Amino acid sequence: TPWEIYSGILIKYTGGEKDVVVPDGVKMIADRAFAGNEVLQSVVLPKGLILISFGAFHSCKNLKSVTIPDGVKVIGSQAFSDCRSLKTVSIPAEAEEIGMYAFNGCESLETIAIPDGVKTIEPCTFGGGRSLRTIALPDGIECIMDSAFRGCENLESFALPVGVKYIGFMAFSECHSLKSVTISDEVNAIGPRAFSECHGLESVTIPAGVKSI
């Protein structure tokens, strides 16, 4: 069997199939379970899954699609980093945490919608998403951390939720196509170079109460 599964934890996939359906009963994808698999093109994850752990699909360079079931609460750090061919991914509504670098280097990813339960966009989460054109951020987002969307060079516009209080260092740096940004009065601080090298930026509205920039 290509599956190493213990007590509902998928430790490792050792098969060579392009299209993979993870067996029912798996509750957790362990650290680096599929990491570096360059044959893999699609994955369907099972109902009942709760956690996708650190680097689970890191550097699966030909992975194009992932079906993440409802109920997944945590997508760990580097879970899908450097999945260069990944075009679409749907993050379930129950998700509460998306780790840093989770989708970093996903240069084919075109659109992303963050569910309501996520309060922080962690450092470098979507960095290098050069094909990313659409971001849907929920009203509950409070912090956009360092380099969260750095290098999303085709991102033209996005709605920054009213509840955002902090925009980190280089958070939107090198977003060359970004044309306009409106920052709400709730923002307390904007980190250095948050919008550096945004060559297409035509207008920025910054509230009077921002403490640092």
Side-chain angles (χ1 to χ4, degrees):
T1 174
W3 304 103
E4 293 181 25
I5 300 172
Y6 301 96
S7 300
I9 302 172
L10 172 56
I11 305 296
K12 189 73 176 175
Y13 171 72
T14 58
E17 297 294 319
K18 292 189 297 182
D19 304 304
V20 169
V21 178
V22 175
D24 290 339
V26 170
K27 303 291 184 184
M28 171 182 170
I29 310 294
D31 293 1
R32 301 184 62 82
F34 291 85
N37 186 325
E38 296 190 8
V39 175
L40 194 64
Q41 292 187 14
S42 72
V43 176
V44 176
L45 300 175
K47 291 180 179 179
L49 188 71
I50 297 170
L51 170 65
I52 301 171
S53 197
F54 169 83
F57 295 91
H58 169 70
S59 203
C60 291
K61 294 179 180 178
N62 290 302
L63 181 62
K64 296 177 182 178
S65 69
V66 177
T67 302
I68 302 176
D70 292 343
V72 171
K73 293 186 177 181
V74 177
I75 297 173
S77 298
Q78 299 185 38
F80 296 96
S81 60
D82 290 327
C83 289
R84 300 176 185 175
S85 300
L86 188 62
K87 290 186 176 181
T88 59
V89 63
S90 179
I91 299 174
E94 293 84 357
E96 298 171 355
E97 179 183 338
I98 302 171
M100 57 184 178
Y101 288 90
F103 295 93
N104 188 273
C106 292
E107 57 187 39
S108 298
L109 195 62
E110 295 177 354
T111 182
I112 198 77
I114 308 298
D116 291 340
V118 176
K119 304 300 181 188
T120 298
I121 306 295
E122 299 290 350
C124 305
T125 302
F126 299 100
R130 62 180 62 180
S131 297
L132 198 61
R133 297 179 183 275
T134 305
I135 302 169
L137 298 176
D139 291 339
I141 290 286
E142 296 177 356
C143 297
I144 298 174
M145 303 302 287
D146 300 352
S147 298
F149 295 99
R150 182 180 179 183
C152 294
E153 56 190 47
N154 281 301
L155 183 65
E156 294 185 2
S157 65
F158 62 93
L160 201 62
V162 173
V164 172
K165 295 176 173 60
Y166 175 75
I167 300 171
F169 170 74
M170 297 186 83
F172 293 94
S173 176
E174 301 167 33
C175 292
H176 303 313
S177 300
L178 194 60
K179 293 179 180 179
S180 66
V181 177
T182 300
I183 299 171
S184 82
D185 292 339
E186 297 291 320
V187 172
N188 295 321
I190 300 173
R193 301 179 65 191
F195 296 94
S196 67
E197 298 185 52
C198 291
H199 303 307
L201 199 57
E202 297 171 357
S203 66
V204 181
T205 303
I206 300 172
V210 172
K211 295 175 183 176
S212 62
I213 188 167

